[in-house]
């Protein structure tokens, strides 16, 4: 059974170009431009910023009285704003009715593909280091006249994420930040539901996940992989190190990515809680001091306390982008 459209909900669709509706709302697309950074890792990140499609980041700008509304991104993600006079507060906890905002800005960033997950600087590892399988992750930021908002303590944000084959036993996870950098995922204990809803054409039925998040910023529907784990390390040539390289385990048959960190005693890149027996692709992205880019790409299986050698190959910037876009 699928959910039909409630009559009291207004649906707002994100468009590629700016659309303005006087006195009520407008929405537009943000495009991230490439600008070189001096340090190596910053240069790598600036290159990775070009991987996600412009349509994976939607900006909705609303003004005036905001009715119960569903914001719909080009990727089909739906974010529901309901009872908007009692939905948000400022960072000090003071209620902020939407009608008091001359400009209510809602930004939705999607990371639904493996290449986009790497490019956004996130992963699928929990606060205790356990591997997660993701059903889709989003970052939702809301501001009122330029000031950051958060959800009131007794409110939750309804979100629907399309998925071709939604899995069981998913839960809502909260992104834990380290300053302005993503750190890990914390389990909120709130369940994620499988759901059906009508497409904008009112004919096709979309399947996916429905969740209710008690917070903004990074949100993920996940489940623990829950298999026996082992240490898994990658040995790169000595010219590739934590100051010029990023290394990931990309799991072949599920939406899971684990970043590898340097083991100072061995000089290798390791993930200590890799699930044994899983098929993975080792991906390394490097930029050496001479300005050249290097890409490591090796398929293997996680073995007990294994260390796998990877030999990165010199590539052009566009080759890195193409690889991640097709990952």
């Amino acid at each position: 059974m699928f959910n039909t459209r409630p009559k009291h909900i207004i649906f707002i669709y994100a468009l590629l170009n700016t659309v303005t509706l006087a006195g009520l709302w407008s929405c537009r697309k943000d495009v991230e431009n490439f600008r070189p950074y001096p340090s190596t890792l910053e240069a790598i990140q600036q290159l990775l910023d070009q991987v996600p499609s412009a349509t994976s980041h939607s900006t909705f700008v609303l003004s005036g009285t905001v009715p119960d509304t569903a914001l719909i991104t080009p990727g089909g993600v739906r974010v529901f704003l309901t009872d908007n006079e009692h939905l948000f507060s400022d960072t000090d906890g003071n209620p902020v009715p939407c009608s008091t905002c001359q400009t209510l800005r809602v930004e939705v960033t999607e990371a639904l593909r493996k290449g986009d997950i790497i490019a956004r600087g996130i992963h699928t590892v929990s606060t205790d280091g356990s591997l997660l399988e993701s059903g889709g992750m989003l970052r939702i930021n809301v501001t009122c006249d330029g000031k950051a908002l958060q959800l009131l303590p007794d409110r939750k944000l309804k979100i629907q994420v399309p998925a071709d084959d939604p899995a069981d036993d998913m839960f809502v996870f909260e992104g834990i930040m380290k300053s302005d950098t993503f750190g890990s995922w914390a389990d909120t204990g709130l369940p994620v539901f499988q759901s059906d809803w009508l497409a904008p054409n009112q004919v096709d039925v979309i399947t996916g996940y429905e969740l209710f998040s008690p917070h903004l910023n990074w949100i993920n529907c996940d489940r623990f992989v829950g298999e026996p784990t082992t240490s898994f390390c990658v040995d790169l040539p000595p010219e590739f190190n934590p100051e010029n390289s990023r290394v990931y385990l990309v799991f072949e048959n599920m939406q899971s990515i684990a970043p590898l960190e340097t083991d100072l005693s061995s000089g290798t890149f390791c993930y200590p809680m890799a699930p044994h027996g899983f098929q993975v692709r080792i991906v390394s992205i490097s930029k050496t001091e001479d300005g050249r880019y290097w890409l490591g790409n090796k398929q293997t299986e996680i073995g007990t306390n294994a260390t796998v050698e990877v030999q990165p190959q010199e590539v052009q910037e566009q080759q890195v982008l193409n690889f991640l876009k097709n990952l």
Side-chain angles (χ1 to χ4, degrees):
M1 179 178 295
F2 56 83
N3 300 324
T4 57
R5 176 185 297 179
K7 293 182 179 179
H8 62 284
I9 295 287
I10 292 179
F11 290 77
I12 304 178
Y13 303 90
L15 304 177
L16 294 180
N17 299 316
T18 301
V19 177
T20 302
L21 301 180
L24 185 57
W25 62 75
S26 67
C27 72
R28 66 179 179 83
K29 302 302 303 173
D30 283 355
V31 178
E32 300 177 59
N33 296 315
F34 176 75
R35 292 174 298 178
Y37 278 79
S39 89
T40 301
L41 288 181
E42 287 178 336
I44 291 175
Q45 183 56 55
Q46 196 63 27
L47 176 64
L48 297 184
D49 286 344
Q50 300 178 73
V51 172
S53 166
T55 60
S56 68
H57 180 87
S58 302
T59 298
F60 302 85
V61 180
L62 299 88
S63 61
T65 301
V66 180
D68 287 354
T69 301
L71 308 178
I72 304 179
T73 74
V77 171
R78 311 205 308 178
V79 178
F80 292 78
L81 303 182
T82 57
D83 191 15
N84 299 309
E85 294 300 274
H86 309 93
L87 183 58
F88 298 113
S89 71
D90 61 23
T91 55
D92 294 324
N94 301 308
V96 179
C98 287
S99 63
T100 65
C101 304
Q102 294 185 9
T103 300
L104 183 73
R105 183 184 180 95
V106 181
E107 295 184 73
V108 182
T109 303
E110 303 167 23
L112 308 179
R113 299 172 52 257
K114 292 177 180 178
D116 288 0
I117 293 172
I118 290 175
R120 299 288 187 194
I122 49 181
H123 50 69
T124 61
V125 176
S126 71
T127 51
D128 68 354
S130 298
L131 185 70
L132 303 169
E133 179 182 2
S134 175
M137 53 187 76
L138 310 164
R139 182 177 61 205
I140 300 177
N141 291 329
V142 183
T143 58
C144 173
D145 299 330
K147 297 181 179 180
L149 298 182
Q150 59 190 16
L151 293 176
L152 284 165
D154 60 341
R155 296 302 307 274
K156 294 180 177 65
L157 195 65
K158 177 181 174 181
I159 304 166
Q160 291 175 333
V161 182
D164 292 335
D165 186 19
D168 297 324
D169 303 322
M170 289 286 188
F171 288 86
V172 179
F173 279 70
E174 173 186 3
I176 304 300
M177 307 298 291
K178 295 181 179 179
S179 298
D180 294 330
T181 303
F182 180 84
S184 59
W185 294 104
D187 188 359
T188 67
L190 295 171
V192 174
F193 306 97
Q194 297 179 6
S195 183
D196 303 322
W197 58 90
L198 286 176
N201 62 16
Q202 289 295 288
V203 176
D204 297 327
V205 177
I206 298 174
T207 61
Y209 298 105
E210 181 172 285
L211 58 99
F212 296 84
S213 174
H215 56 82
L216 301 178
N217 210 333
W218 279 109
I219 303 162
N220 198 354
C221 52
D222 274 311
R223 63 180 179 182
F224 288 100
V225 174
E227 298 291 337
T229 62
T230 183
S231 174
F232 185 86
C233 296
V234 173
D235 188 11
L236 297 179
E239 62 267 29
F240 302 107
N241 55 66
E243 294 183 353
N244 65 12
S245 301
R246 293 183 177 181
V247 186
Y248 307 88
L249 283 184
V250 180
F251 288 76
E252 294 287 6
N253 299 313
M254 57 186 181
Q255 198 80 335
S256 301
I257 293 176
L260 276 62
E261 297 184 358
T262 302
D263 184 319
L264 296 179
S265 62
S266 64
T268 55
F269 292 83
C270 298
Y271 176 44
M273 298 180 67
H276 186 272
F278 279 65
Q279 297 292 320
V280 295
R281 182 186 300 270
I282 302 169
V283 175
S284 68
I285 304 168
S286 307
K287 184 179 183 182
T288 46
E289 291 183 358
D290 55 11
R292 293 186 292 172
Y293 281 95
W294 302 79
L295 181 66
N297 175 26
K298 185 172 185 176
Q299 291 178 293
T300 187
E301 181 177 306
I302 296 175
T304 303
N305 298 321
T307 298
V308 177
E309 293 186 359
V310 174
Q311 180 65 55
Q313 302 298 311
E314 183 180 356
V315 293
Q316 301 299 313
E317 292 183 16
Q318 191 59 49
Q319 290 175 284
V320 178
L321 297 177
N322 293 342
F323 174 80
L324 292 175
K325 288 180 179 180
N326 293 288
L327 189 61

